[in-house]
Amino acid sequence: MKMLSTLMSTTLLLGGSSVVSAIDVDLTSASSIKSTAATIAYDMMLYYAGNKTGGIIGVLPGPPPNPSWGYYWWESGAMWGTLIDYWHYTGDTSYNDVVSKGIQAQVGENQDMMPSNWSQSMGNDDQGFWGMTAMLAAELKFPDPPAGEPGWLALAQAVFNTQAVRGDDKCGGGLRWQVFPYLTGYDYKNTIANGCFFNIAARLARYTGNSTYYDNAIRTFDWVTNVGLIDAEYNVYDGAHIESNCTDINKVEFSYNVAVWLLGAANMYNYTNGSAIWKTRVDGLLNTTLTTFFPDGIAYEQACEAKLSCTTDMFSFKAYLHRWLASTTQMAPYTYDLIMPKLKTSAAAAALQCSGGSNGRACGLSWSKGSAWDGTAGVGQQMAAMSAIFVNLLPLESVQPSVTNMTGGTSSGNSDAGSHSSTNPTAVKPATGGDKAGAGIVTAIVLVGATGMFGWMSI
Ligand SMILES: *[C@@H]1O[C@H](CO)[C@@H](O)[C@H](O)[C@H]1NC(C)=O
Ligand SMILES: *[C@@H]1O[C@H](CO)[C@@H](O)[C@H](O)[C@H]1NC(C)=O
Ligand SMILES: *[C@@H]1O[C@H](CO)[C@@H](O)[C@H](O)[C@H]1NC(C)=O
Ligand SMILES: *[C@@H]1O[C@H](CO)[C@@H](O)[C@H](O)[C@H]1NC(C)=O
Ligand SMILES: *[C@@H]1O[C@H](CO)[C@@H](O)[C@H](O)[C@H]1NC(C)=O
Ligand SMILES: *[C@@H]1O[C@H](CO)[C@@H](O)[C@H](O)[C@H]1NC(C)=O
Ligand SMILES: *[C@@H]1O[C@H](CO)[C@@H](O)[C@H](O)[C@H]1NC(C)=O
Ligand SMILES: *[C@@H]1O[C@H](CO)[C@@H](O)[C@H](O)[C@H]1NC(C)=O
């Protein structure tokens, strides 16, 4: 991974012999934060080729093996979400058009964020990440798609509706990792797939005021705690297999897993006008987030950072960790004083680690190592560093919290979206022989790369 990432940085980042200075940010200055985030965003977007000949609009190059490096489809959706937050915090509209067109290009034949092109690697979490991006666009009043295209809210509702009917009674409920039975990992029920669904349901409840979403979020939270994927101390584990009735819990902990549940719980807290039960859950999840993932106030992906054994996916998790913590301070404002100091120390460390590559400012993952670049680079690392930095505008400027349809939200919705299209997986074009073989290779590579350390990785 390290070698591949370095290759990417030399291939895709600005070449040239002169090394410019590393990232230098003053976190007490809004203009410094904005210009730093803009630089990191610019370097990140050099990886995107969707707007160039041969590229696919809306998606980053990849995944392996063709080319041998690259990104799974979900990470592109995650990147668009990060750029929506980027615009919201900084006011920089530079990427809005590319973001909007990128999402619209990937809504899929049934406008449910499940394009058949990606049916060989479609997890509920993959679809869920695009759904959370659509939800964010609605919440932040990101400019609407043109008339005739589905609204951001409708896209989030479509993801909700397709997934609400997809659970089964194995392990007493919950979503499987993969959408389709022919995909490896269909027998795994994992925390991120259910966490994305919970997160979207909670946010739809708050945005629309429709209690159906709230009920589904509660059902999902009850399941994940009953089965023990979130334990009584609010440790958040990765997943378990249906063959064992989900008793073989894979106890690896990733920062995005706890963060996706934390932000969902904060939205439930907000929707219920500050109920005691959701406060307890926010407190517990926040405690885990800060104690497990912020040693010394600096974000640390403890499952893979020490040996830099992170997969491409994992290099991006800190992006969601910081963005979702920041949003939590707005949904549950009493958490601000606990969260904001960590976001500040973490951002300072992240900026120091943007000191590598041929341009001297590629961001690594190892934020606790100061300015000694760890030799890794990629979309995930850029996205993580820029997120950590731009959320520090919270104490400096008036960053508006997510709206609802009662407080100015106007995104066009459709509570029926997706409910006719995707309840039946066989409606999606089945794999051809060739596609299947290709998918098998991808899966094998993923498993060889990940089983040693992680057993089953998510996404
Ligand atoms: C491609 O880039 C151009 C110039 O930045 C922009 O005007 C256009 O909207 C982009 N197209 C897509 C599909 O993103
Ligand atoms: C689907 O894949 C084909 C072949 O790679 C590509 O040409 C097309 O643009 C893709 N469509 C979408 C919506 O991504
Ligand atoms: C399977 O797990 C679920 C959830 O923990 C539990 O409710 C159910 O009783 C278990 N079934 C068996 C047969 O052990
Ligand atoms: C908000 O959305 C809900 C559910 O779709 C709807 O019942 C309600 O009328 C909407 N409120 C406003 C102000 O648009
Ligand atoms: C929260 O408070 C608002 C305003 O008082 C009220 O309309 C709404 O019903 C309350 N929500 C819940 C879930 O209690
Ligand atoms: C819900 O979020 C809004 C927007 O940030 C905030 O003003 C309000 O205080 C929150 N509600 C609670 C109960 O904290
Ligand atoms: C945070 O979690 C730790 C470990 O589970 C626990 O000992 C501690 O009491 C918790 N703190 C709070 C404030 O809940
Ligand atoms: C609430 O959402 C559910 C699920 O999508 C939908 O069936 C129902 O019609 C919605 N209710 C309202 C009042 O919009």
Side-chain angles (χ1 to χ4, degrees):
M1 183 53 57
K2 182 172 169 181
M3 279 169 51
L4 292 173
S5 299
T6 307
L7 173 68
M8 279 208 69
S9 71
T10 48
T11 311
L12 293 180
L13 294 182
L14 302 175
S17 44
S18 67
V19 170
V20 272
S21 58
I23 295 289
D24 185 24
V25 66
D26 173 2
L27 293 172
T28 64
S29 154
S31 64
S32 172
I33 290 172
K34 288 179 189 180
S35 71
T36 302
T39 300
I40 301 176
Y42 176 86
D43 289 349
M44 178 178 81
M45 287 302 281
L46 295 176
Y47 289 88
Y48 178 59
N51 212 352
K52 297 184 183 138
T53 311
I56 299 178
I57 296 174
V59 294
L60 290 159
N66 194 14
S68 60
W69 50 270
Y71 300 90
Y72 281 97
W73 178 74
W74 76 273
E75 193 164 340
S76 307
M79 183 176 81
W80 303 135
T82 303
L83 284 169
I84 290 171
D85 259 343
Y86 168 78
W87 157 75
H88 180 67
Y89 280 89
T90 66
D92 179 1
T93 58
S94 302
Y95 302 106
N96 284 11
D97 199 42
V98 166
V99 171
S100 188
K101 292 196 169 92
I103 300 169
Q104 287 167 54
Q106 296 298 320
V107 298
E109 293 80 351
N110 297 316
Q111 307 187 334
D112 57 4
M113 309 312 313
M114 219 169 61
S116 63
N117 259 12
W118 310 99
S119 58
Q120 300 311 308
S121 62
M122 186 59 69
N124 284 301
D125 45 0
D126 300 53
Q127 184 194 19
F129 262 88
W130 285 85
M132 290 189 289
T133 287
M135 190 69 229
L136 185 68
E139 291 168 338
L140 300 187
K141 303 183 72 169
F142 188 64
D144 288 323
E149 301 292 326
W152 307 129
L153 177 61
L155 290 170
Q157 288 171 314
V159 173
F160 171 88
N161 285 333
T162 58
Q163 296 193 349
V165 294
R166 203 176 274 156
D168 57 39
D169 58 7
K170 301 283 186 202
C171 308
L175 283 168
R176 296 167 184 252
W177 175 21
Q178 296 299 324
V179 172
F180 303 119
Y182 56 80
L183 293 172
T184 306
Y186 186 67
D187 64 339
Y188 192 62
K189 291 206 167 181
N190 63 351
T191 311
I192 189 63
N194 286 282
C196 292
F197 179 71
F198 169 73
N199 183 294
I200 291 168
R203 290 161 68 178
L204 282 172
R206 178 176 177 274
Y207 188 98
T208 66
N210 181 337
S211 63
T212 302
Y213 301 119
Y214 178 69
D215 296 341
N216 275 273
I218 290 180
R219 175 171 64 83
T220 305
F221 197 91
D222 288 348
W223 176 77
V224 82
T225 48
N226 283 343
V227 85
L229 289 174
I230 297 180
D231 72 12
E233 278 78 49
Y234 293 94
N235 297 303
V236 181
Y237 305 120
D238 192 67
H241 291 89
I242 61 172
E243 290 82 357
S244 74
N245 194 33
C246 295
T247 57
D248 66 334
I249 292 176
N250 176 357
K251 290 204 162 178
V252 64
E253 294 177 65
F254 293 111
S255 63
Y256 78 150
N257 263 332
V258 66
V260 81
W261 288 92
L262 172 62
L263 178 58
N267 273 271
M268 296 291 267
Y269 170 82
N270 197 277
Y271 170 78
T272 57
N273 295 324
S275 69
I277 184 157
W278 286 106
K279 179 174 188 303
T280 302
R281 290 163 175 175
V282 168
D283 288 344
L285 290 163
L286 180 56
N287 183 14
T288 299
T289 308
L290 299 181
T291 53
T292 308
F293 296 101
F294 285 86
D296 307 318
I298 299 172
Y300 186 70
E301 196 60 55
Q302 48 105 5
C304 64
E305 186 167 323
K307 295 180 178 165
L308 287 179
S309 54
C310 306
T311 64
T312 302
D313 291 346
M314 296 168 195
F315 279 110
S316 73
F317 291 171
K318 289 181 188 177
Y320 326 124
L321 174 65
H322 289 78
R323 288 171 50 216
W324 294 342
L325 275 169
S327 186
T328 294
T329 70
Q330 297 192 307
M331 292 302 97
Y334 77 89
T335 62
Y336 180 91
D337 290 342
L338 280 172
I339 292 175
M340 204 59 230
K342 310 279 187 189
L343 295 181
K344 193 164 182 185
T345 47
S346 197
L352 281 178
Q353 182 59 205
C354 295
S355 59
S358 51
N359 65 2
R361 64 181 195 215
C363 305
L365 177 76
S366 306
W367 299 356
S368 347
K369 290 189 182 156
S371 59
W373 183 49
D374 67 5
T376 75
V379 170
Q381 291 91 321
Q382 295 297 118
M383 191 168 24
M386 70 184 260
S387 299
I389 290 166
F390 68 60
V391 297
N392 276 277
L393 286 165
L394 269 178
L396 302 177
E397 296 200 333
S398 128
V399 178
Q400 292 306 304
S402 307
V403 299
T404 72
N405 78 346
M406 302 296 282
T407 61
T410 54
S411 185
S412 142
N414 173 5
S415 66
D416 211 26
S419 57
H420 301 299
S421 57
S422 309
T423 53
N424 175 10
T426 57
V428 171
K429 183 168 68 78
T432 66
D435 285 348
K436 229 173 191 165
I441 291 165
V442 172
T443 310
I445 289 171
V446 169
L447 296 184
V448 167
T451 39
M453 179 148 309
F454 303 112
W456 275 88
M457 53 169 273
S458 293
I459 291 184

